[in-house]
Amino acid sequence: MGTRPEFDRRSVLGFGVAGALAAAAGVIGAAPAHATGQGAATGQGAAATAGATAKPSRTVRAVFGHDAVRVLRNPLNGWVLYSTATPAPDYWEHYDAMTVPGIDGPVKVSDYAPTLYMRLAWSVLNPEEGVYGWDVDEQLKGMIAEARARDMRLAFRVVVDSRDKPRGFSPDYVRAAGAQGYESTSGSQTLWSPYPDDPVFQEKYAAFLEAFAARFGDPAEMDFVDGYGLGKWGEGHSMLYLDPANREAVWNWNIDLYTRLFPRVPLAVNYHRLIGAVGSGWGAADPESRRMLDSAYEKGWVPRHDAFGMTTYYGQWEREVAGAWLYRRPIIMEGGWVTGSHSYSDDPRGYETPADVRQGEYDDSAQAHVNSMDFRVGETDSWFEERFDLVQAFNARGGYRLHPAAVEAPAALAPGAQAVISHSWVNEGWGFLPNDLPAWAHKYRIAFALLDGAGDPVEVLVDGAVEPAEWRAHRDNAYSFTGRIGQVPRGRYRWGVAVVDTTRGDEPGIELASDGETTASGWLVVGGCTVS
């Protein structure tokens, strides 16, 4: 793994002075200190108020600092590793053995990236009607199995359009069924793509997506679905229609279809200035694009963009979209420059090396407060070999990094008694936990547990009134909570705290960026409690 990042002038961008100082200081103190408490609940889950008084009670209190080095494997957060349906034969061998200056031995990319993102042709996922790639395509099955073995979530974009592609990206059976389409030339090949407003296409595509969602609709496996894979390169622009007047009707059909089929998995769409528009794919922003994009984001879709670091293509219009949705929806970043083939030195920022491009991508990501950044095929090596400092920097301060600042809980209780718990929280990242996404429906909640000697919970109290989505970078969020334990057997326990997933039996669902002791089941240890 990595070493603790250096916090120089450039790398503290977006982190804040207080955050940089806390990270540089490292451990604030994780060992619990016994004390006499003075706080009391002012109502379940209510924010703690100054001057509250209560009858003194014996409590245990723990103070926690930020572990800025630990890589958190949390949903919609962190680095995303890219792949295709036809990866190089040594794909995993290569990415399991990166060379990083100053670090002895190989470094695994998957140790830093909790998500594998694949852009796949519809024809790969659905080569014949009723036949699906996840059942029959050995390369695809192998990629999925390897990712899951590395504790990685999955993300997909289904690409329909064959333009600029090495093969047909829509299945032959769609054309054979009578769908109308258009041809394009790629090298010596003539390839076919369906018109997205053709009714036969829409029928066949919807049937495929039903099967796709049935297989990949579990949020325990899926991180997100990049859900508007129409248009050139699956980016939603340079569209061709039977009738251009159908632009918005196709948009609404696609957005509503994915929304219906993936109720529990976040959906993303590229905030392109020419989304769904006919044309060359670049120019002044189409006047309808912003309204159309906003309609999807209002339904819970997540903004992503494919040109971070490209000063021209990620311009003022794109920055305004990101700013309008800041802390309302998480933002997914993808870099735009392909350093092996693009003339990145033409960028107005004056890039001279791939390392400069990486810095530009990082700077744009910090400004947009993105939750995730990309390790694209062909670009990943330079992140590790030339700008590993930025890999560490994003890990330390990008996305969301939650931990309690302090927790104070009863050191002694009787079976069936009320427990008054004071707790405060910090988000060390520039992003946020988007707990209010419709797909997540506020499922992540703060919880406290009495842990047995093995570290497993025997009693869990959920504070349903605290909303982690409201936590912004480096702000203190203080609360007081009252919960009643059940008829817990008398004995010695330890208090634990976690952000739990209420849809999965209140088990810890978000890894915490804390320097304290964490049990094997994911609970951060606060201190001892006797039930007698």
Side-chain angles (χ1 to χ4, degrees):
M1 301 293 286
T3 57
R4 184 177 296 273
E6 295 297 326
F7 297 97
D8 57 23
R9 180 182 62 82
R10 290 185 64 83
S11 66
V12 297
L13 180 61
F15 191 47
V17 174
L21 291 174
V27 175
I28 293 176
H34 294 271
T36 299
Q38 70 278 1
T42 56
Q44 182 166 326
T49 57
T53 60
K55 185 183 299 183
S57 62
R58 181 165 166 258
T59 63
V60 59
R61 185 173 188 269
V63 176
F64 301 97
H66 177 212
D67 182 346
V69 175
R70 182 183 179 190
V71 177
L72 305 177
R73 308 188 77 80
N74 284 329
L76 282 181
N77 197 63
W79 290 97
V80 176
L81 176 62
Y82 281 43
S83 183
T84 68
T86 55
D90 65 344
Y91 177 92
W92 287 113
E93 289 82 357
H94 178 71
Y95 286 133
D96 283 347
M98 302 300 293
T99 299
V100 177
I103 295 181
D104 294 332
V107 173
K108 285 187 175 182
V109 174
S110 59
D111 284 346
Y112 288 85
T115 298
L116 178 71
Y117 171 73
M118 289 182 280
R119 284 192 185 136
L120 302 176
W122 179 17
S123 57
V124 168
L125 289 166
N126 184 201
E128 301 174 32
E129 194 160 17
V131 177
Y132 303 108
W134 54 86
D135 294 326
V136 300
D137 189 300
E138 293 303 321
Q139 279 191 302
L140 177 58
K141 290 165 62 178
M143 285 299 296
I144 292 172
E146 288 284 354
R148 297 300 290 154
R150 288 165 169 78
D151 191 30
M152 302 177 79
R153 293 180 178 84
L154 306 174
F156 295 103
R157 176 190 286 177
V158 180
V159 181
V160 173
D161 200 300
S162 301
R163 284 175 289 174
D164 283 352
K165 298 299 182 183
R167 60 186 178 280
F169 266 45
S170 285
D172 292 338
Y173 77 82
V174 179
R175 188 178 192 179
Q180 299 181 72
Y182 49 91
E183 293 183 335
S184 59
T185 301
S186 181
S188 60
Q189 298 185 88
T190 299
L191 303 175
W192 179 86
S193 303
Y195 288 112
D197 52 341
D198 178 84
V200 175
F201 157 74
Q202 291 190 359
E203 175 193 348
K204 300 301 184 183
Y205 190 59
F208 155 71
L209 286 179
E210 291 272 3
F212 182 62
R215 169 59 184 85
F216 296 106
D218 184 355
E221 180 182 35
M222 291 296 296
D223 199 46
F224 65 90
V225 173
D226 193 352
Y228 199 75
L230 307 178
K232 202 168 187 180
W233 311 321
E235 293 183 356
H237 58 77
S238 308
M239 300 281 284
L240 295 173
Y241 300 95
L242 285 168
D243 182 352
N246 290 331
R247 172 191 179 187
E248 190 162 355
V250 168
W251 170 265
N252 290 332
W253 164 76
N254 182 97
I255 296 297
D256 291 344
L257 178 62
Y258 271 88
T259 301
R260 175 176 64 82
L261 293 177
F262 289 93
R264 299 188 300 142
V265 175
L267 297 163
V269 62
N270 183 17
Y271 51 102
H272 198 282
R273 61 177 57 196
L274 297 173
I275 195 73
V278 176
S280 66
W282 183 247
D286 184 277
E288 301 302 318
S289 293
R290 182 67 182 272
R291 179 181 56 81
M292 290 168 59
L293 287 166
D294 285 350
S295 71
Y297 302 146
E298 292 287 357
K299 293 176 181 178
W301 285 56
V302 171
R304 61 162 290 133
H305 202 278
D306 299 353
F308 276 75
M310 303 181 88
T311 305
T312 300
Y313 297 101
Y314 194 77
Q316 187 60 33
W317 188 90
E318 289 74 20
R319 295 171 194 275
E320 288 175 359
V321 173
W325 289 96
L326 177 63
Y327 297 134
R328 299 170 63 193
R329 296 288 181 260
I331 296 175
I332 297 173
M333 167 271 189
E334 179 179 311
W337 287 113
V338 179
T339 57
S341 58
H342 288 172
S343 298
Y344 56 82
S345 60
D346 295 339
D347 192 284
R349 274 180 262 192
Y351 300 141
E352 296 180 357
T353 67
D356 295 337
V357 175
R358 303 288 86 93
Q359 184 69 61
E361 293 169 344
Y362 181 87
D363 291 345
D364 285 353
S365 298
Q367 183 190 53
H369 296 259
V370 304
N371 267 33
S372 65
M373 293 184 66
D374 72 324
F375 289 142
R376 284 173 292 144
V377 175
E379 308 301 314
T380 303
D381 293 52
S382 73
W383 280 109
F384 282 80
E385 295 173 0
E386 300 175 89
R387 294 313 306 262
F388 192 63
D389 61 319
L390 297 181
V391 175
Q392 293 174 304
F394 179 68
N395 177 63
R397 64 190 68 106
Y400 59 89
R401 295 186 66 84
L402 313 180
H403 70 87
V407 178
E408 187 168 1
L413 287 170
Q418 282 191 338
V420 178
I421 301 173
S422 299
H423 55 115
S424 61
W425 292 79
V426 178
N427 177 7
E428 305 283 359
W430 64 46
F432 79 114
L433 172 66
N435 195 39
D436 50 357
L437 284 178
W440 287 1
H442 307 275
K443 67 181 182 179
Y444 295 112
R445 293 295 185 183
I446 308 304
F448 307 93
L450 288 174
L451 307 174
D452 62 18
D456 296 322
V458 298
E459 181 79 12
V460 176
L461 304 176
V462 177
D463 189 340
V466 174
E467 179 48 82
E470 298 173 355
W471 299 346
R472 305 293 176 257
H474 313 304
R475 299 179 186 176
D476 185 62
N477 304 275
Y479 309 93
S480 183
F481 166 73
T482 299
R484 186 179 298 277
I485 68 170
Q487 295 300 312
V488 177
R490 290 171 170 80
R492 288 283 298 167
Y493 299 93
R494 293 189 297 174
W495 281 110
V497 62
V499 178
V500 299
D501 184 342
T502 58
T503 68
R504 297 179 63 85
D506 296 336
E507 64 181 30
I510 298 296
E511 293 187 5
L512 300 178
S514 171
D515 57 6
E517 176 192 354
T518 302
T519 69
S521 56
W523 293 90
L524 180 63
V525 175
V526 175
C529 179
T530 300
V531 176
S532 62

